[in-house]
Amino acid sequence: MNATVRIAAFVTVVAAVFGLTLMLGRGTGPVGVDAAVDTATNLQSTSGSKTPARGADSDLPGGLMVSSAGYSFDLVQSSATPGRSVSVSFRITGPDGEAVTAYDIEHEKRLHLIAVRRDFSGFQHVHPTLAADGRWSTDLSLTAGDWRLFADFKPTGSEALTLGTDLPVAGSYQPVVDTDESRTSTVDGYDVTIDGELVAGTDSRLTLNVTKDDKQVTDLQPYLGAYGHLVALREGDLAYLHVHPEGTPSDGVTEPGPDVVFFADVPSTGDYRLFLDFQHNGVVRTASFALGAANDGAAQPSTPTPAESGHNGHNGH
């Protein structure tokens, strides 16, 4: 057999082997593809049965969305008129589109409604009444301006959520512009100071100290399961941040003032507004503050240490 014939025979064999391999490959598919598809399908089926937590839909802080995890904040009215007793109604609808009627109790209530004017000149924390048909109702004291409402709740059998929606209040108004940091708040003769730094990406320890007539208040009364309730909002988008108190009134350790300690987890640098609700002599009052958040590790102590100042500081509990 000459060289030309041998080469032609070799090419024919290679072509035949290649064709057979191609047919087998088309019949069976690439190795591992079916397994990968099955794995992805299984992951989707298992994760799809879980309800996302606060902000889990897009890893956003709470309050930025009107709908999340299948639940929606359905405000009955699209606007309101100013007044000291403005009726506000809404429903929380679930994944089935129906009004939710079963809620777990958190901080002693089934739902917390926060109303904030966007320039922070107005703040209210109320607890609406739930009707049998799933409609929540309450009265708010509203001035003209753009308001943001936050519904903080936990549907039974689901994760806790904070949803937000806007409520414009008719009338002319002049927005309040105040960009200065404020660590002291005076309300009804009480002076409340805040010590500590907000640091993005970590739990920041904040100590709030309550005095009246230059005397430390040591008999604060429990409010919503603690000696204070703190709400933090990020300026600009009004992201609603959860702030956790240290200790509880019934733990035998936490003292009823003058210090109330909280831990705040802010997601980014920027400016924040904080509102403290505290109860004394049977009345709930609200103190407000403005703080900036630094990068992790960049914050400095807001006040001198006891050794530096020459007197005893207030220790957290």
Side-chain angles (χ1 to χ4, degrees), residues 187-229:
V187 52
D188 294 342
Y190 292 83
D191 293 315
V192 186
T193 59
I194 187 169
D195 183 56
E197 297 293 339
L198 290 176
V199 181
T202 186
D203 279 338
S204 304
R205 181 187 175 95
L206 302 174
T207 302
L208 293 103
N209 177 266
V210 184
T211 63
K212 189 177 191 303
D213 300 327
D214 296 325
K215 296 180 181 178
Q216 304 282 359
V217 176
T218 58
D219 57 346
L220 292 172
Q221 297 166 321
Y223 177 63
L224 301 179
Y227 287 122
H229 188 278

Side-chain angles (χ1 to χ4, degrees), residues 13 15-16 26 145 187 246 258 292:
V13 171
R26 286 175 177 173
V187 52
E246 180 181 66

Side-chain angles (χ1 to χ4, degrees), residues 246-255:
E246 180 181 66
T248 60
S250 60
D251 62 11
V253 177
T254 305
E255 298 179 2

